[in-house]
Amino acid sequence: MGVIRKTKAVEVLLNEFNTRAVAISAKTLIDQLRTTFNKTTIYRVLDKLEDDGVLHSFLGKDGLKWYAKCYGCTAKEHQDLHPHFQCLNCGKVDCLKVPVTISEIPNRKILVSQVLIQGTCEECIK
């Protein structure tokens, strides 16, 4: 999509992802930043960062949209072929570094696939 303009909203949102190693829901970002930015600005910046290959999104429990940092993605192609894990106890969501293989489907071209695994995270098991 182009060069990311370093507006205050972009800087604040990028900082949220740079200081956390887990995915963040759009709802959480809106709740945390509502006194600084309106909901429309937050969604617009998230969409732009996703278009530019900085973030990727996926649907979590209850249909909430989550965002996480991309690694190796570009504005032309996302390389986010990995599952996400959501703890049903504490709610933490993170990207798993586990390869996922999606079989080819005759007469179909797969463009996007999302795998969400739910269970109990390592902290909640203790």
Side-chain angles (χ1 to χ4, degrees):
M1 263 252 145
V3 178
I4 300 170
R5 287 185 26 223
K6 290 287 185 173
T7 63
K8 181 171 173 72
V10 169
E11 288 182 25
V12 169
L13 282 168
L14 283 176
N15 187 54
E16 289 293 320
F17 289 95
N18 289 333
T19 58
R20 302 180 195 200
V22 296
I24 309 170
S25 73
K27 181 182 181 327
T28 297
L29 289 167
I30 290 166
D31 290 345
Q32 289 178 348
L33 302 172
R34 71 174 165 249
T35 59
T36 309
F37 306 107
N38 65 41
K39 180 170 53 172
T40 303
T41 299
I42 293 169
Y43 275 117
R44 187 176 60 247
V45 171
L46 289 170
D47 287 344
K48 175 71 171 138
L49 292 172
E50 186 171 15
D51 287 345
D52 287 341
V54 176
L55 300 177
H56 65 278
S57 67
F58 55 94
L59 297 179
K61 182 178 172 222
D62 300 328
L64 289 178
K65 194 167 188 179
W66 290 76
Y67 292 85
K69 285 179 69 172
C70 287
Y71 297 96
C73 297
T74 66
K76 293 183 184 199
E77 185 177 15
H78 275 274
Q79 302 289 328
D80 306 306
L81 300 174
H82 59 264
H84 298 89
F85 185 89
Q86 185 167 30
C87 180
L88 296 173
N89 188 41
C90 70
K92 179 177 89 172
V93 178
D94 55 357
C95 300
L96 297 176
K97 306 266 190 255
V98 177
V100 173
T101 304
I102 305 292
S103 300
E104 288 190 29
I105 302 170
N107 303 314
R108 303 286 194 276
K109 180 179 179 182
I110 299 171
L111 300 175
V112 177
S113 176
Q114 295 186 20
V115 177
L116 178 67
I117 300 168
Q118 297 177 320
T120 308
C121 72
E122 64 278 359
E123 294 298 317
C124 292
I125 288 175
K126 294 180 184 178

